[in-house]
Amino acid sequence: MYQFARDDDELTAVRAAYHRVSERLAKVPGMLGNELLRQPHDPGSLVVVSRWASMAAFQEWEAGPRHRDDTAPLRPYRDTRTGTPFAVYQVDAAY
């Protein structure tokens, strides 16, 4: 989760960084897509959600040498108030 935008200029910077990262990730095998989500009641609170073909595809990218470079533009905006900079979820049920 990211506590990105403290003002309109920072929101613009986050969106630009998100698009740079997304262009890089579009070329990663197994990456199905991602979204930048904004909380309606707290417009400065944003989350990037990515979808992967499999947990193995995600883990291979995460363990690889490009992971850090791919996500570097968003790193300055991470919410450092939490114990971990991101979370991994798997679908437990769906309709």
Side-chain angles (χ1 to χ4, degrees):
M1 182 168 349
Y2 297 88
Q3 192 70 31
F4 284 121
R6 289 178 277 275
D7 57 38
D8 287 341
D9 289 339
E10 195 166 27
L11 182 57
T12 299
V14 169
R15 285 181 176 138
Y18 166 76
H19 289 294
R20 282 194 309 275
V21 168
S22 295
E23 288 172 5
R24 294 175 185 181
L25 294 182
K27 300 170 188 160
V28 174
M31 171 61 125
L32 300 177
N34 65 70
E35 298 173 306
L36 178 64
L37 305 178
R38 183 171 39 92
Q39 192 176 88
H41 302 294
D42 181 5
S45 183
L46 301 156
V47 173
V48 175
V49 176
S50 59
R51 294 175 314 284
W52 292 85
S54 66
M55 179 61 81
F58 168 74
Q59 290 171 329
E60 183 175 335
W61 168 75
E62 185 182 39
R66 291 186 45 202
H67 171 244
R68 286 215 167 292
D69 288 340
D70 286 345
T71 58
L74 282 172
R75 200 165 295 119
Y77 305 105
R78 286 188 303 197
D79 186 350
T80 58
R81 299 171 301 168
T82 63
T84 57
F86 68 93
V88 175
Y89 293 86
Q90 289 182 287
V91 175
D92 192 58
Y95 286 89

